[in-house]
Amino acid sequence: PNGGSFQPGCNLGEALRLIAENGFGDMDQLVKCSHERSIHLFIDSLLYDEKPSQAYRCSSKEAFEKGLCLSCRKNRCNTLGYKVNKVRGKSSSTMFLKTRSQLPYKVFHYQVIV
């Protein structure tokens, strides 16, 4: 989620402050929050199963950020979490989605064409 970068709600500044004050003993906090997010996203899929988060197949993060990949035709999107759809065909594809910093993590994606 979020382009593989630091996750919303994982306070990079706070983690760096703890490392500066207490040394590298708190280095795990820097990595822990982003990696634990996968567990929270799965729990989110159980709690909010009537409105699941959607990931969209896209060629690049930049194209996704521009809103060019919001179509669900031809298996171009999938549900995140417990009710993920198994898709036959390609063995893998790059999917993108954004999340919020707290429950519910779902972000609605809109595309306005003028």
Side-chain angles (χ1 to χ4, degrees):
N2 306 300
S5 62
F6 212 64
Q7 300 299 304
C10 295
N11 189 334
L12 178 60
E14 180 65 17
L16 293 174
R17 185 187 63 76
L18 286 171
I19 291 169
E21 289 177 1
N22 304 321
F24 286 104
D26 287 330
M27 182 68 170
D28 64 329
Q29 297 302 314
L30 186 61
V31 176
K32 183 180 174 186
C33 181
S34 288
H35 285 269
E36 278 185 350
R37 183 55 56 87
S38 63
I39 297 166
H40 295 283
L41 290 172
F42 185 78
I43 292 169
D44 183 75
S45 77
L46 298 171
L47 294 173
Y48 302 98
D49 64 337
E50 69 282 352
K51 293 181 183 176
S53 294
Q54 293 286 322
Y56 300 89
R57 187 171 62 193
C58 202
S59 60
S60 69
K61 180 182 175 184
E62 292 75 23
F64 178 72
E65 294 285 337
K66 290 179 181 177
L68 302 176
C69 307
L70 298 178
S71 171
C72 287
R73 288 181 289 149
K74 298 183 181 178
N75 293 322
R76 290 188 178 133
C77 69
N78 205 340
T79 301
L80 177 72
Y82 183 71
K83 292 188 177 179
V84 68
N85 297 316
K86 290 187 178 185
V87 179
R88 292 181 184 244
K90 287 187 172 184
S91 59
S92 67
S93 59
T94 305
M95 306 288 282
F96 293 87
L97 79 147
K98 289 221 175 247
T99 64
R100 294 173 4 106
S101 62
Q102 60 192 11
L103 283 169
Y105 289 103
K106 179 180 178 131
V107 170
F108 290 94
H109 300 277
Y110 296 98
Q111 182 179 31
V112 178
I113 299 174
V114 181

